Amino acid sequence: GIQVEQSPPDLILQEGANSTLRCNFSDSVNNLQWFHQNPWGQLINLFYIPSGTKQNGRLSATTVATERYSLLYISSSQTTDSGVYFCAVPHRWGNKLVFGAGTILRVKS
Amino acid sequence: DAEITQSPRHKITETGRQVTLACHQTWNHNNMFWYRQDLGHGLRLIHYSYGVQDTNKGEVSDGYSVSRSNTEDLPLTLESAASSQTSVYFCASGRGTGELFFGEGSRLTVL
């Protein structure tokens, strides 16, 4: 099946810093999602981004499907950005999402 | 607002008991999924359904079952709970574009 790798596994930032999280996948996909799991455990949809670039406030994402990777940019980080960031892509057959292991982000004030 | 809800949010049970976790969505999505999340394993797919009367096994389906009698609900049943099934369980739904929306999770402890 498709493999999803995220990097870095852990990241510690000072409040106000910028960061880039990466998601590599082993097969061609027709969509990709980024999620934020907050410290309370909720999985929050950030982006549904099959290709191209999307922006939502301080966050933006870019997917280059032909090169099998996606990037999540966080600018001017805040302590509320802390948590785990997951990317997920669909399995070849159907709409079952396969998740990466996540990037644990800690933003310190 | 349409939403997806899980119940109970927290449950403690004993080994060997039957447990059912409920998942209800009001988006009228055909596709529904159950995942479990464990430290060191991330989110893994248990069962899924693409419509009424359709159910399929995911990668970690042993010891679990689901049924889909209507569009809105996909209950997850643990026939005989085991300590290895202590986990956080997430239900998700989607239209079929591949975009999924998750419930808030159900934390299950099996003693």
Side-chain angles (χ1 to χ4, degrees):
Chain A
I2 192 167
Q3 305 296 316
V4 183
E5 294 183 353
Q6 292 186 242
S7 59
D10 289 277
L11 187 58
I12 300 174
L13 297 177
Q14 198 65 37
E15 197 169 27
N18 302 329
S19 63
T20 301
L21 282 55
R22 187 176 180 102
C23 174
N24 292 332
F25 39 95
S26 61
D27 204 351
S28 57
V29 298
N30 56 15
N31 68 70
L32 181 144
Q33 278 190 264
W34 281 98
F35 297 90
H36 174 217
Q37 188 167 38
N38 63 24
W40 294 270
Q42 294 175 301
L43 278 166
I44 299 165
N45 288 41
L46 294 178
F47 294 102
Y48 171 68
I49 181 167
S51 63
T53 297
K54 289 188 177 180
Q55 179 145 14
N56 184 3
R58 295 180 296 103
L59 274 60
S60 64
T62 295
T63 295
V64 184
T66 53
E67 297 187 21
R68 302 182 184 174
Y69 73 90
S70 182
L71 302 174
L72 178 69
Y73 305 96
I74 304 174
S75 64
S76 304
S77 59
Q78 301 176 357
T79 55
T80 52
D81 295 331
S82 296
V84 186
Y85 289 81
F86 291 102
C87 69
V89 298
H91 190 276
R92 173 174 293 188
W93 308 113
N95 296 304
K96 310 182 294 292
L97 285 185
V98 177
F99 281 78
T103 292
I104 301 172
L105 176 64
R106 300 180 184 88
V107 181
K108 299 167 64 175
S109 59
Chain B
D1 269 351
E3 60 181 3
I4 181 166
T5 55
Q6 296 183 226
S7 63
R9 297 289 313 282
H10 302 272
K11 185 168 181 67
I12 300 173
T13 191
E14 295 177 343
T15 302
R17 290 191 179 266
Q18 183 180 79
V19 176
T20 296
L21 304 180
C23 177
H24 179 81
Q25 52 97 4
T26 59
W27 282 303
N28 203 35
H29 288 162
N30 283 328
N31 300 344
M32 295 185 73
F33 306 81
W34 275 103
Y35 287 83
R36 61 177 287 176
Q37 184 176 28
D38 307 286
L39 279 175
H41 291 281
L43 283 113
R44 295 180 291 174
L45 183 63
I46 306 171
H47 280 286
Y48 59 102
S49 167
Y50 288 146
V52 176
Q53 302 301 331
D54 176 74
T55 61
N56 306 279
K57 294 181 179 180
E59 62 178 309
V60 290
S61 61
D62 287 349
Y64 302 95
S65 64
V66 294
S67 61
R68 187 89 180 271
S69 59
N70 59 52
T71 300
E72 295 81 16
D73 299 289
L74 187 71
L76 177 71
T77 297
L78 289 68
E79 300 293 345
S80 178
S83 57
S84 60
Q85 294 176 308
T86 293
S87 186
V88 180
Y89 292 85
F90 286 96
C91 179
S93 73
R95 278 191 303 270
T97 60
E99 185 175 18
L100 294 192
F101 299 88
F102 282 79
E104 295 192 335
S106 294
R107 182 176 297 274
L108 176 67
T109 302
V110 183
L111 300 176

